[in-house]
């Protein structure tokens, strides 16, 4: 706050720019709420694709920019996050620059203290520099995930990406990050070249920023924090877990089916397996059917989030094995999207079969729910290795 007289003081304004996917929007909006409670005025710049419901945030100002995402929406290759990231970094640059320039002209009293951009929007560093606005970065994964990204050689030249299940080295540790096996690294991307390019851009622009904010906490990642502080010579702030201050439900892009809570109320303590693979991961029809068979064989109550589109080519439940729903009866619930934080906090939930997205991992850790880890891509294999082999609060499951 400027000045001594509180009544005429200018509140400091922060402009935030989330990446338009659920696992990035949730922590950015939670961070915005945390900053708001600290007295900051909040403006959110968002893309037209995937934006949060403004009505849940009457205390924020929103500005929308064009992203032309619809041009490529149906072309995203499975397992290649770099396609989406690189496209948005190109398509958003001009509209973002125009929007930010307009905002700085509108708030011309010097009240804007900084931009907080998602780390994956690496183009924003140059824009902020040209407008002489400090840029802070929110990195929405674990510190360990960031270290692994920096250490692993992503390139099609790298032999790891050529190995298959049949190769004897497939189960071997990788020297660059020995906690991980070759099969984990292979899982991270179907396009190592593209991944390498986006990771390099992201890490360089994180190093060029004015500071890094992480949704994690020191007690969980003390060693990694030391490494990160050495590697990135900019201030680092571990402010998480954000969801303990503000729930993710208000930034949910899909309506959460709250009827699951009254169903959980009828179940015995710690008896229910909760299954979700997050908002982006896609699995094959046979993997989906394996999940169904495993649930039938386990014979335990389950709550399964089947996000429409999780199996490419299927609308929703068509790939379920015949008679599956009849066989499980009241023992199982399948929904399109759940109030995950409340599910994990519910006394009936005994275990989380997860893809190990960082938000899911953190939410599960905070509720003390053990995990079965079946990572799909990007940072998920790193998180899964930490859960199973370092923190020992879950088991790694899946080839
Ligand atoms: N989530 C939810 N309902 C669901 C599944 C997930 O609200 O049925 C939320 C979850 O609580 C988390 C986010 O969606 O905050 C998913 O983020 P994460 O990093 O775990 O995975 P991603 O979707 O990015 O792969």
């Amino acid at each position: 706050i400027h000045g001594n007289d509180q009544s005429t003081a200018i509140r400091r304004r922060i402009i935030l720019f989330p990446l338009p996917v659920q696992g990035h929007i949730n922590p950015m909006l939670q961070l915005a709420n945390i900053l708001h409670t600290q007295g900051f005025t909040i403006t959110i710049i968002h893309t037209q694709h995937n934006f949060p419901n403004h009505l849940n945030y009457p205390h924020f100002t929103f500005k929308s920019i064009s992203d032309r995402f619809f041009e490529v929406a149906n072309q995203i290759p499975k397992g290649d996050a770099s396609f989406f990231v690189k496209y948005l970094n190109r398509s958003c640059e001009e509209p973002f620059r125009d929007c930010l320039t307009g905002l700085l002209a509108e708030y011309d009293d010097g009240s804007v203290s900084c931009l907080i951009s998602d780390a994956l929007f690496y183009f924003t560093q140059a824009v902020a520099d040209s407008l002489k606005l400090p840029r802070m970065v929110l990195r929405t994964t674990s510190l360990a995930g960031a270290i692994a990204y920096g250490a692993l050689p992503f390139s099609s030249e790298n032999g790891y990406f050529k190995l298959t299940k049949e190769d004897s080295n497939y189960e071997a540790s990788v020297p660059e990050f020995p906690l991980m096996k070759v099969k984990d690294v292979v899982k991270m991307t179907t396009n190592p070249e593209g991944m390498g390019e986006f990771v390099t851009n992201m890490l360089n622009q994180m190093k060029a920023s004015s500071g890094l904010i992480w949704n994690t906490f020191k007690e969980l990642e003390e060693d990694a924090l030391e490494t990160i502080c050495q590697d990135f010579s900019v201030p680092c702030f571990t402010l998480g877990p954000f969801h303990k201050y503000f729930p993710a439900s208000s930034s949910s892009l899909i309506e959460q089916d709250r009827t699951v809570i009254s169903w959980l109320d009828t179940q015995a303590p710690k008896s229910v397996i909760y299954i979700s693979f997050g908002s982006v991961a896609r699995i094959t029809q046979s993997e989906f059917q394996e999940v169904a068979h495993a649930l039938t064989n386990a014979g335990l109550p389950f709550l399964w989030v089947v996000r429409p589109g999780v199996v490419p080519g299927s609308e929703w439940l068509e790939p379920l094995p015949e008679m599956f729903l009849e066989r499980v009866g009241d023992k199982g619930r399948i929904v399109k999207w759940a109030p995950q934080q409340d599910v994990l906090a519910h006394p009936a939930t005994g275990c989380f079969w997860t893809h190990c997205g960082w938000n899911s991992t953190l939410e599960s850790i905070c509720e003390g729910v053990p995990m079965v880890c079946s990572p799909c891509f990007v940072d998920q294999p790193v998180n899964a290795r930490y859960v199973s082999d370092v923190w020992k609060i879950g088991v790694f499951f899946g080839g």
Side-chain angles (χ1 to χ4, degrees), residues 116-317:
I116 301 182
S117 156
D118 191 290
L120 272 62
F121 272 137
Y122 45 79
F123 81 87
T124 57
Q125 184 64 48
V127 176
D129 283 347
S130 70
L131 296 171
K132 300 197 170 23
L133 183 66
R135 168 186 180 257
M136 303 272 296
V137 169
L138 172 64
R139 184 70 185 109
T140 59
T141 187
S142 60
L143 295 162
I147 296 170
Y149 270 28
L152 292 167
F154 294 108
S155 119
S156 49
E157 299 302 305
N158 170 1
Y160 302 147
F161 290 96
K162 298 192 177 98
L163 295 182
T164 63
K165 277 190 175 112
E166 283 67 47
D167 289 291
S168 56
N169 279 341
Y170 200 61
E171 294 279 338
S173 270
V174 297
E176 294 87 351
F177 199 84
L179 183 65
M180 296 184 72
K181 297 175 192 266
V182 168
K183 63 177 184 179
D184 304 332
V185 178
V186 171
K187 257 200 182 135
M188 292 171 85
T189 179
T190 53
N191 176 2
E193 219 78 71
M195 176 104 175
E197 198 186 312
F198 115 65
V199 166
T200 304
N201 284 332
M202 176 180 73
L203 295 177
N204 286 344
Q205 301 315 322
M206 284 166 73
K207 288 178 181 162
S209 74
S210 301
L212 306 174
I213 301 170
W214 304 85
N215 183 16
T216 186
F217 52 103
K218 202 172 84 220
E219 292 75 5
L220 184 68
E221 295 201 88
E222 198 136 31
D223 294 348
L225 181 58
E226 215 168 281
T227 310
I228 287 281
C229 290
Q230 280 163 10
D231 287 1
F232 294 83
S233 50
V234 294
C236 277
F237 304 95
T238 48
L239 304 183
F242 296 165
H243 72 277
K244 279 291 174 192
Y245 303 96
F246 288 96
S249 49
S250 45
S251 52
S252 193
L253 299 169
I254 310 177
E255 196 184 340
Q256 297 179 325
D257 185 339
R258 293 208 60 86
T259 63
V260 301
I261 301 298
S262 47
W263 178 79
L264 284 171
D265 289 342
T266 65
Q267 304 299 317
K270 296 198 186 306
S271 66
V272 175
I273 309 175
Y274 170 58
I275 308 106
S276 167
F277 300 123
S279 64
V280 199
R282 289 180 269 174
I283 59 176
T284 63
Q285 178 155 327
S286 70
E287 286 167 335
F288 180 79
Q289 289 170 344
E290 284 301 320
V291 176
H293 289 306
L295 293 174
T296 318
N297 293 340
L300 293 164
F302 66 83
L303 170 59
W304 185 7
V305 174
V306 179
R307 189 188 84 242
V310 69
V311 179
S314 300
E315 289 282 318
W316 193 35
L317 299 181

Side-chain angles (χ1 to χ4, degrees), residues 4 40 49 53 134 136 163 188 255 275 291 335 353 389:
N4 296 328
F40 289 97
H49 171 65
N53 184 349
M136 303 272 296
L163 295 182
M188 292 171 85
E255 196 184 340
I275 308 106
V291 176
V335 294
W353 187 354
D389 300 1

